[in-house]
Amino acid sequence: QVQLVESGGGLVQAGGSLRLSCAASGRTFSSYVMGWFRQAPGKEREFVARITWSSGSTSYADSMKGRFTISGDKAKNTVYLQMNSLKPEDTAVYYCAARALYGNIWDWGQGTQVTVSS
């Protein structure tokens, strides 16, 4: 299993920026898809972005395109989510997740709270 630890959440004003980090350990990184999801109180979990670790290919939810950027540092086994132009509706717990390239079961981090004030 892979262990995931998120960090970087906190309070930020609308229009500001925040960078989340996800440190992975336990398994090799190269065969994984890494993703970010979020969940606000009373709402379902929502896909944010993903990156295929081996190729660097990325994908984003439509509402995040142009504002959020997912990237990784293989040497540090760490995935990042750069969040710009933040809005109050971005307030949620953000979760890092990982799955095997050809698998369908995600492993999850503990989550980190992001709160955007107006």
Side-chain angles (χ1 to χ4, degrees):
Q1 301 296 316
V2 62
Q3 288 75 51
L4 305 169
V5 180
E6 302 100 328
S7 62
L11 296 169
V12 64
Q13 294 181 353
S17 298
L18 207 60
R19 189 178 75 163
L20 306 182
S21 298
C22 174
S25 62
R27 287 188 177 181
T28 58
F29 223 38
S30 61
S31 64
Y32 276 81
V33 176
M34 305 294 300
W36 288 96
F37 298 79
R38 69 186 187 185
Q39 188 168 22
K43 299 182 67 176
E44 294 183 346
R45 184 187 64 195
E46 178 185 22
F47 168 75
V48 175
R50 70 172 185 265
I51 182 169
T52 301
W53 201 236
S54 58
S55 69
S57 178
T58 60
S59 182
Y60 300 89
D62 287 342
S63 62
M64 322 310 177
K65 290 180 180 178
R67 298 194 301 126
F68 293 3
T69 303
I70 189 170
S71 62
D73 185 336
K74 291 183 178 180
K76 296 182 177 181
N77 287 340
T78 300
V79 174
Y80 304 97
L81 183 69
Q82 179 66 46
M83 309 165 67
N84 299 324
S85 301
L86 284 164
K87 307 172 182 179
E89 50 263 44
D90 294 319
T91 295
V93 177
Y94 283 71
Y95 296 93
C96 180
R99 65 166 173 84
L101 182 61
Y102 301 108
N104 59 4
I105 302 298
W106 292 91
D107 291 328
W108 299 91
Q110 82 286 354
T112 185
Q113 177 70 48
V114 172
T115 302
V116 184
S117 64
S118 60

